[in-house]
Every structure is written in structure tokens, then in C-alpha cells.
Amino acid sequence: MIWLDAMEANEEGDRSVALTLAEEVVSLDRGHADAWFAVAQWTLPIDSRRKQKMPDMIQASKCMAAIRKVVELDPQNEHAWRIGGEITVGHLGMLEHGLEWWELRKEVAPNDVLPYFEQISILIRLGYFEEAGEYLDVLDRIIESQPSKSLETRARRLRGIFEEQSSM
């Protein structure tokens, strides 16, 4: 019942009540992956137009703690992995931790291309071009096995960035 109240509060736009209720749910049931995911999402700030704002350190930390619990309970939750990667790299700037985060995702979903895209981007930012090139080759092989024009286009753009940056 508390979980239903939390979802209802969120639908009505009362995130603070929704968050409090979701936190109560996870304190009662540590294995409630959906409530952990709600805690992660509802901890992150939004503006008046319901757009995501940059979290502060406390919000980012709380979100990551909940996201880690989500992927532990539901390792196939792709959205949780994306949020974790965005918080780790995009908001906290923890590039090495981002590499580790995406490596864990590859263990769970070896044919998911997202971890490769993210790791290659991080490696390029760090200047680790040899390793980025190796990951690009693996990414190309994965995309060949599951053809997609949008993935091929994205991989081509990433390879172009790689070539430009590695030649500098």
C-alpha cells in the first residue's frame, strides 16, 4: 500500500512525499527494486518544466547508492545503468569509475553496445587511444552481428572523433 501511495504522490507531482514513501518502502523491503529505482529518480532535482537539473553532491551520492541497489536486484534494468553512468561520468566527472561501471554492465549484457560507446568516449577523454581503438574494433564486430543504421552511424561518428583526437 505504501508503494501505491508513493506512485500516486509522484503522479500528482508531489515528489518529496513520493520520495519519503519510497524510502519507507525500501526500509521495509530491501529487495524492492522498483522502489529503489524510484528513490534514485526522485532524488534527482527537476525544474518547473519537469526537466532534469544538475544534482548536487548529496543528491548524486544518494542516487548512485540507490542505483547500485537497483542493478544488484535487477541487473537487466538498462535505464538504471544509464542513470548510473550519467551520474558517475556526467555529473561527478569520475571517469575511471565510469569505466568500471560500464565494465560491470558488459558482464551482465555482453552484447549491449551502450557500454562500449560510453567506455570509448571516456577513454578518448582520458587520452587512452590504444585501448579506445581496441574497444572500437570490438564495437564494430558487435554492430556487424546486429546490424542497425543508427548504431553504424553513431559508431562512425565516434570513430571520427577518435581519429581526430588521437592524431593531435
Side-chain angles (χ1 to χ4, degrees), residues 2 6 11 54 59 62 65 88 98 114-115 136 153 166:
I2 299 169
E11 288 173 14
M54 179 74 100
Q59 293 164 329
K62 186 174 179 179
T88 303
L114 181 62
L136 270 167
T153 301
S166 64

Side-chain angles (χ1 to χ4, degrees), residues 18-28 35 39 43 62:
L19 176 59
T20 300
L21 291 169
E23 289 170 334
E24 186 176 341
V25 170
V26 298
S27 73
L28 296 169
V39 168
T43 296
K62 186 174 179 179

